[in-house]
């Protein structure tokens, strides 16, 4: 036997009761009037004040409706009513019901919770390329701060401020990315979308996605390199401990002993989340890589939605339209017999008697129609095939087919995969330069290495901006890094391949195979002094 919650346990959520009543919209507007008055430092409101504060299009014609709403909100604990004695001018006024109302603590807390709820529902999010630039800036600042420990030690205040700014921008980036991809998926699924607005918006949306993907590829690699350099020799751990000690300095006396440990654990968790967002490790793809893949996949999905909308606008039928038309035909059918015929024609679901229907049966049915609802006991007997009656099946029986052995094909696929991996490794080794060289000095390149070189060159040129003379970027898989610098001598570089000669303006280039040199610093030099 269960009991209904009562007393404080039930009353604790009473300020939310006005959301499920018939006049919920009026109650929300009344509470909104009190919140607006609080922003103007008005504590108490009279019924006529609330009535005047309501929007004209939703304002009740009678003041009594507002008074009843105020009294109900008092009963639920959202408001508090106090006798209004300021306007008493005669003895009779003491016997009249006059109150002034103000927000209670529970009512204000309920409205704050509803505001957060409404904001979360209406949030569409954004892919913040600017946040990526800010994260790069803060990581570079942390590198400078960490370098100070070689002299007098890092500045705790600067480390704390830089880490706070870094985590703030990162959390905003991650939260907005989740919200944006969720709203993008709802748009792709055609949920809550206006067709005309979507068709006008889709070009800008696709350009927006492409621009963010380009920035994510360029800056994501730089962020990963900066994170790796900070983690070398435990430098980031020193900064996190400084930030934790600075926060623990303001802890209450009874929490002073454990405050620093809790703060340090919090900072370690935030840094781990940042690193996991940009750096892949232990067979786990980084969140940045997953986001990039999701954003890339959204572009063809958006184009598919456009095709679907254009087909609908052009009048082509789809499944939902077909079912609506069929439902209308069922509603317009004159009788049950017509509905049964329509059902059989639309879905091909006949009674079991159709198994023995032949020309003779059709002739007999035409002469003596049998209703679809005729019971089996009253219907004409069926003639069953002797083979079906004897074996119970029309299927041909025999020996089951043998399971095909595909071990040889799997072995061959493994050999091909290993051979391709060796060829790609050889291509990376062929392209890796010993320091900085000119494009014209690369000489003749085999087709596989040339294809990899074109991909690297394309990634570098994609990051080029007006006025830039040097660019550094990594390949999409993070295995190669290229540094490209413009030359002012106007020379032309020619790279020979078995299929022809590739020519263009000469540049200085430095290509590094990251799989052999390990992590690379943000300035392009290999960590640990390797080259």
């Amino acid at each position: 036997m269960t009991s209904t919650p009562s007393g404080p346990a039930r009353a604790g959520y009473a300020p939310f009761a006005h959301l499920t009543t018939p006049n919920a919209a009026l109650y929300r507007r009344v509470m909104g009037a009190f919140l607006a008055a609080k922003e103007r430092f008005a504590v108490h409101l009279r019924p006529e004040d609330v009535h005047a504060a309501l929007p004209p299009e939703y304002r009740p014609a009678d003041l009594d409706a507002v008074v009843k709403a105020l009294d109900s909100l008092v009963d639920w604990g959202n408001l508090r009513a106090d006798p209004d004695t300021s306007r008493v001018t005669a003895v009779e006024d003491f016997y009249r019901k006059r109150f002034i109302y103000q927000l209670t603590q529970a009512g204000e807390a309920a409205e704050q919770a509803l505001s957060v709820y409404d904001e979360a529902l209406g949030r569409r999010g954004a892919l913040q390329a600017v946040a990526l630039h800010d994260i790069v800036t803060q990581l570079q600042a942390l590198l400078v701060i960490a370098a100070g420990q070689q002299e007098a030690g890092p500045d705790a205040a600067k480390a704390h401020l830089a880490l706070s700014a870094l985590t703030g921008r990162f959390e905003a980036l991650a939260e907005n990315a989740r919200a944006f991809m969720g709203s993008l998926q709802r748009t792709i699924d055609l949920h809550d979308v206006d067709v005309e607005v979507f068709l006008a918006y889709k070009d800008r949306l696709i350009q927006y996605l492409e621009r963010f993907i380009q920035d994510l590829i360029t800056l994501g690699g730089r962020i990963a390199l900066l994170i790796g350099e900070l983690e070398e020799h435990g430098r980031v751990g020193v900064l996190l401990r400084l930030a934790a000690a600075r926060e623990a300095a303001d802890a209450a006396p009874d929490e002073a002993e454990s405050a620093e440990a809790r703060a340090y654990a919090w900072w370690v968790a935030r840094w781990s989340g940042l690193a996991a967002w940009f750096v892949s490790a232990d067979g786990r793809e980084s969140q940045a890589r997953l986001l990039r893949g999701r954003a890339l996949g959204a572009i063809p999905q958006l184009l598919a939605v456009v095709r679907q909308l254009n087909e609908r606008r052009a009048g082509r039928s789809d499944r939902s339209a077909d079912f609506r038309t069929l439902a209308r035909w069922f509603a317009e059918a004159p009788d049950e017999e017509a509905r049964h015929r329509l059902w059989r024609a639309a879905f091909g679901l006949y009674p079991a008697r159709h198994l023995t229907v032949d020309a003779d049966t059709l002739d007999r049915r035409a002469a003596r129609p049998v209703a679809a609802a005729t019971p089996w006991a009253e219907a004409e007997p069926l003639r069953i095939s002797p083979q079906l009656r004897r074996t119970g099946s029309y299927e041909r029986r025999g020996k089951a087919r043998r399971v095909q052995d595909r071990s040889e094909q799997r072995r061959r696929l493994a050999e091909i995969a290993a051979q391709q991996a060796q060829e790609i490794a050889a291509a990376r080794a062929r392209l890796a330069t010993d320091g900085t060289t000119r494009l014209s000095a690369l000489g003749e390149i085999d087709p596989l290495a040339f294809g990899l070189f074109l991909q690297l060159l394309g990634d570098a040129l994609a990051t080029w901006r007006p006025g830039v003379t040097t660019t550094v970027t990594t390949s999409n898989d993070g295995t190669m890094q290229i540094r490209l610098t413009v030359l002012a001598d106007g020379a032309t570089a020619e790279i020979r391949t078995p299929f022809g000669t590739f020519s263009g303006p000469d540049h200085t280039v430095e290509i590094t195979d990251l799989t052999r040199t390990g992590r690379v610093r943000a300035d392009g030099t290999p960590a640990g002094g390797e080259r």
Side-chain angles (χ1 to χ4, degrees), residues 22 44 53-54 133 163 245 287 348 392 411 531:
H44 297 89
L54 296 177
H133 289 275
L163 284 170
Q287 292 296 317
R411 185 190 62 79
R531 175 65 66 185

Side-chain angles (χ1 to χ4, degrees), residues 123 126 128 131 135 168-180 277 287 291:
R123 185 177 187 180
Q128 299 174 311
I135 290 174
R169 295 301 285 154
F170 166 66
E171 290 175 356
L173 169 69
E175 183 62 30
N176 277 280
R178 285 193 296 268
F180 179 83
W277 221 86
Q287 292 296 317
L291 176 61

Side-chain angles (χ1 to χ4, degrees), residues 431-445:
L431 291 178
T433 61
D434 186 13
T436 302
T437 186
R438 298 172 70 105
L439 286 175
S440 55
L442 292 179
E444 185 173 354
I445 302 178

Side-chain angles (χ1 to χ4, degrees), residues 344 350-366 380-384 394:
R344 290 194 296 271
Y350 298 90
R353 287 186 293 272
H354 78 281
L355 294 174
T356 59
V357 172
D358 51 19
D360 295 338
T361 304
L362 293 177
D363 293 339
R364 288 197 302 274
R365 291 289 171 84
E380 181 182 355
L382 297 178
R383 295 189 300 275
I384 304 299
Y394 281 123

Side-chain angles (χ1 to χ4, degrees), residues 254-398:
D254 55 341
E255 298 179 354
E257 296 182 358
S258 59
E260 183 173 350
R262 289 198 306 270
Y264 178 70
W266 186 89
W267 279 111
V268 168
R270 290 299 179 274
W271 180 263
S272 300
L274 173 66
W277 221 86
F278 290 100
V279 181
S280 302
D282 300 331
R284 172 192 53 78
E285 287 190 329
S286 65
Q287 292 296 317
R289 185 179 293 273
L290 294 176
L291 176 61
R292 185 174 66 193
R294 181 65 185 86
L296 284 171
I299 295 177
Q301 292 180 18
L302 285 170
L303 296 177
V305 171
V306 174
R307 287 196 302 270
Q308 183 179 355
L309 292 176
N310 289 333
E311 290 175 358
R312 291 185 182 180
R313 289 156 63 91
R316 292 184 59 178
S317 177
D318 59 9
R319 183 174 298 180
S320 59
D322 292 342
F323 278 121
R324 285 193 295 269
T325 302
L326 183 60
R328 186 174 67 252
W329 290 351
F330 273 107
E332 296 173 352
D335 51 31
E336 289 294 327
E337 188 67 25
R339 294 187 183 94
H340 282 295
R341 288 197 301 272
L342 179 59
W343 173 270
R344 290 194 296 271
F347 299 103
L349 300 179
Y350 298 90
R353 287 186 293 272
H354 78 281
L355 294 174
T356 59
V357 172
D358 51 19
D360 295 338
T361 304
L362 293 177
D363 293 339
R364 288 197 302 274
R365 291 289 171 84
R368 292 186 303 168
V370 179
T374 303
W376 281 95
E378 301 174 8
E380 181 182 355
L382 297 178
R383 295 189 300 275
I384 304 299
S385 167
Q387 179 183 355
L388 178 62
R389 183 170 58 248
R390 183 177 62 256
T391 64
S393 174
Y394 281 123
E395 295 181 0
R396 179 180 179 182
R397 298 184 179 276

